[in-house]
Amino acid sequence: MTTLPHLSRRGLLRALGAGSVLMTLGACRSAVDDGAPAASASPRRGGTLTVAHGVDFTPALLFAVSAMTLVPRLVFNTLTRYDDKLRPQPELAKSWQVAPDGKSITFVLRDDVTFHNGRKFTADDVIFAVQNLQNPVRAAQLRSTAAAVTSFEKRGDHEITLGLAHPVSNLFDLFEFMFIADKDTVEDAVAGKQLIGTGPFTFTGRNPGSSISFARNERYWQPSRPYLDKVEIRIIPQPDSLLSSLRTAQSQLSFDVRGQDVAQLKDDKQFRIRGYDTGAGALYLGANVKEQYTGDKRVRQALSWAVDRERIVKQVLGGYGQASAAPWPKSSPAYSDANATRYTHDPARARALLKEAGHDTLSLPLAHASVPRVTAIAQIIQYDLKQIGITTELQPYDSATMQKKLIAQQMPALWTMGHGFAQVHPSTLAVSAYPFNEAKNTSQFSSPAYSAAVRDAWVRSDAESPEALGAYQRISDQLLDEAFIIDLAVEASVEVATAKVHGADLNKFGYLILDDAYLV
């Protein structure tokens, strides 16, 4: 086996494709401090960290990325974890080797890990984790990637080879996404009764709509971790109340503060503001191509020209984001300025396209989650569309219902939500995210050209070769031309913490990581 320290991302991925092994440990954070300076004190053990979030945890969506992603990594671990440059690092996997043809990967697993119920972690738990995501009932966005795993070969309890149907360019996205749950209690987990993993905290209770609580796992495999005694996630749907909770120290950490509120806190010395440059996701307007009017590409393109993206960034995100017609953050190899600015606010052009499609006026439904931020976006879209002759009827739903409608392809002609998956490997967006999945998406869109571009980006072992970059551009071309998903803005992931909180982190899918977090 060969270790690979200090490689560039391109060099690392090339080496992984050639079958080399990674055995270094790194951090996931890529952030810039805007607020109070970090404390000089060393990490301290003890205390309860209270985290404020606007949307409740939905146990039935445990294995899917939804509006609440803070819970999984508190209770569970993953096999590997990306650093800030998308280089995979060890977690429950100590090392790995990718076959030269890219059609298998062999893991050497940690042998000192136990679940919260005392059961030893073994290769059988990796097999279960993959098969669990392959199960359509779990509604896991990376099910297509999990389905590419076609065989398992154990070599004792702590070494396993996964056979693949073909090379998979986003394989480590799967291992970042796929947490290791206890197979004997998984049905209790999705029912919200108990969560049993190998992670730093044990699940101690849940009051739906109010709070979720956790306590230190005293048998955690990382020595002396975690530092915190307890973690409580408080569900505070109203933005003003969430902000007040932070200001009065009832809560100490949040990743769910409105952009305009973050701007108010920037100069308040009791807070530290951190922005993650990889993007937290994106805001978009979706169109159902099976509906009468939105089935016309010209109408969908008119919608894209009509929306004032800069206004959304300024008024809803408080400037913490980037207006963009494409889904990619600047950290993505698929990003380009040309794609981001393909559509700008041009009502005259929008009206001309609408007229070309044979319409002076239209009336369309617009679904949205009934949370303040998304409601504000829906109202901006409603105003902008009215300026080009399209009246919209807002249809609010709670967040869980919106997610279920998204998965079940039950959206009306228009809807607005946020999406993730553009911050990892570009192919993951198009094979995994419900709005974009080329095999089955919420818009019910399909085309041979889109499918070919997606497969070319996905079925390969390299990620930044000229051929791979060309495939990403073809995906962008299809998205921008067909406009079945109309991206509006790439959000910045922003951490708001009191000056006492240190060491909190997020993984690429928004899982909250508190292994190294402490209070001073």
Side-chain angles (χ1 to χ4, degrees):
M1 291 187 178
T2 307
T3 58
L4 299 176
H6 308 302
L7 285 178
S8 68
R9 181 180 173 214
R10 179 175 295 181
L12 172 68
L13 291 166
R14 185 177 295 131
L16 287 174
S20 297
V21 176
L22 177 71
M23 298 179 65
T24 57
L25 180 64
C28 186
R29 180 181 302 280
S30 178
V32 177
D33 282 319
D34 288 336
S40 58
S42 299
R44 294 171 54 184
R45 191 174 177 89
T48 298
L49 175 65
T50 303
V51 183
H53 196 68
V55 179
D56 198 6
F57 171 58
T58 304
L61 297 175
L62 176 63
F63 295 99
V65 170
S66 63
M68 159 61 98
T69 57
L70 301 182
V71 170
R73 186 46 182 72
L74 299 181
V75 177
F76 307 100
N77 289 116
T78 55
L79 285 177
T80 61
R81 175 179 160 200
Y82 283 134
D83 67 10
D84 62 314
K85 298 186 183 299
L86 287 181
R87 296 174 298 204
Q89 311 293 334
E91 195 158 296
L92 292 185
K94 292 167 61 178
S95 62
W96 50 88
Q97 186 169 9
V98 179
D101 63 1
K103 295 180 70 174
S104 69
I105 181 170
T106 298
F107 285 105
V108 175
L109 307 173
R110 297 189 68 95
D111 60 5
D112 58 351
V113 177
T114 60
F115 285 88
H116 299 157
N117 57 10
R119 186 174 65 80
K120 294 282 289 184
F121 162 69
T122 70
D124 287 330
D125 295 301
V126 176
I127 296 173
F128 172 75
V130 174
Q131 292 176 337
N132 185 53
L133 293 191
Q134 291 174 341
N135 184 350
V137 173
R138 298 300 181 223
Q141 287 98 334
L142 269 81
R143 184 159 67 90
S144 295
T145 305
V149 179
T150 55
S151 67
F152 306 93
E153 181 184 350
K154 292 194 301 179
R155 301 172 187 174
D157 284 343
H158 297 98
E159 186 171 341
I160 186 169
T161 296
L162 309 183
L164 306 172
H166 51 75
V168 179
S169 60
N170 68 332
L171 188 60
F172 285 91
D173 288 9
L174 173 66
F175 303 137
E176 175 95 348
F177 174 88
M178 181 184 76
F179 50 83
I180 307 298
D182 175 46
K183 61 182 183 295
D184 298 327
T185 58
V186 69
E187 296 305 326
D188 283 344
V190 295
K193 296 178 181 178
Q194 59 178 329
L195 304 174
I196 295 179
T198 63
F201 296 92
T202 60
F203 171 73
T204 56
R206 173 175 176 252
N207 294 313
S210 178
S211 64
I212 317 164
S213 57
F214 309 87
R216 179 195 293 123
N217 174 13
E218 300 292 353
R219 297 183 294 184
Y220 194 40
W221 53 271
Q222 289 201 52
S224 74
R225 301 294 194 276
Y227 295 116
L228 297 168
D229 288 336
K230 297 179 181 180
V231 177
E232 181 180 10
I233 299 176
R234 299 183 62 210
I235 310 305
I236 309 175
Q238 294 301 320
D240 290 342
S241 298
L242 191 152
L243 182 62
S244 176
S245 177
L246 289 165
R247 279 182 159 157
T248 59
Q250 297 176 62
S251 301
Q252 301 144 312
L253 174 68
S254 183
F255 297 90
D256 205 26
V257 179
R258 290 183 305 187
Q260 58 264 49
D261 292 336
V262 174
Q264 292 180 32
L265 298 177
K266 269 189 85 169
D267 297 325
D268 190 329
K269 296 304 181 183
Q270 70 172 312
F271 294 106
R272 187 182 65 254
I273 313 297
R274 289 179 178 240
Y276 293 69
D277 62 8
T278 54
L283 308 174
Y284 73 94
L285 173 65
N288 186 339
V289 303
K290 297 301 183 183
E291 294 292 326
Q292 179 181 1
Y293 300 117
T294 47
D296 189 326
K297 180 170 70 174
R298 294 167 297 184
V299 172
R300 301 195 300 269
Q301 290 178 344
L303 299 173
S304 194
W305 287 110
V307 181
D308 188 345
R309 292 171 173 82
E310 296 288 352
R311 182 184 171 199
I312 289 173
V313 171
K314 181 178 180 180
Q315 294 187 3
V316 179
L317 301 183
Y320 285 88
Q322 177 191 3
S324 180
W328 321 110
K330 288 186 176 181
S331 59
S332 171
Y335 175 84
S336 76
D337 288 340
N339 291 336
T341 58
R342 171 65 175 80
Y343 293 96
T344 55
H345 186 219
D346 192 336
R349 193 164 185 174
R351 283 191 292 268
L353 273 169
L354 199 62
K355 192 172 186 65
E356 183 182 319
H359 311 292
D360 290 317
T361 62
L362 284 177
S363 180
L364 299 171
L366 173 59
H368 65 92
S370 56
V371 296
R373 187 180 69 156
V374 183
T375 299
I377 294 167
Q379 290 170 343
I380 290 174
I381 293 171
Q382 182 181 49
Y383 174 85
D384 288 341
L385 296 189
K386 186 176 181 180
Q387 309 314 303
I388 68 166
I390 299 177
T391 58
T392 53
E393 177 189 355
L394 299 187
Q395 297 182 349
Y397 298 93
D398 64 82
S399 295
T401 299
M402 279 293 286
Q403 186 77 5
K404 291 173 183 176
K405 290 173 72 69
L406 184 80
I407 295 169
Q409 297 178 293
Q410 294 176 346
M411 289 297 187
L414 300 176
W415 75 94
T416 185
M417 290 183 74
H419 71 76
F421 297 97
Q423 73 275 27
V424 285
H425 189 281
S427 70
T428 294
L429 182 82
V431 299
S432 302
Y434 298 124
F436 298 88
N437 190 326
E438 63 86 19
K440 181 182 178 182
N441 55 67
T442 312
S443 297
Q444 303 184 68
F445 171 83
S446 65
S447 80
Y450 185 49
S451 294
V454 171
R455 187 160 184 85
D456 194 22
W458 185 46
V459 183
R460 61 188 319 119
S461 57
D462 62 302
E464 293 192 1
S465 67
E467 293 79 12
L469 296 177
Y472 309 154
Q473 184 57 51
R474 289 194 296 279
I475 291 174
S476 294
D477 290 342
Q478 284 292 303
L479 294 175
L480 292 166
D481 180 60
E482 295 291 351
F484 61 96
I485 294 297
I486 298 165
D487 269 278
L488 305 175
V490 175
E491 295 186 80
S493 181
V494 181
E495 170 189 320
V496 177
T498 67
K500 294 183 176 182
V501 180
H502 298 272
D505 202 358
L506 296 175
N507 88 340
K508 298 302 180 184
F509 293 107
Y511 301 166
L512 178 59
I513 301 175
L514 296 177
D515 297 50
D516 299 326
Y518 61 96
L519 300 171
V520 297

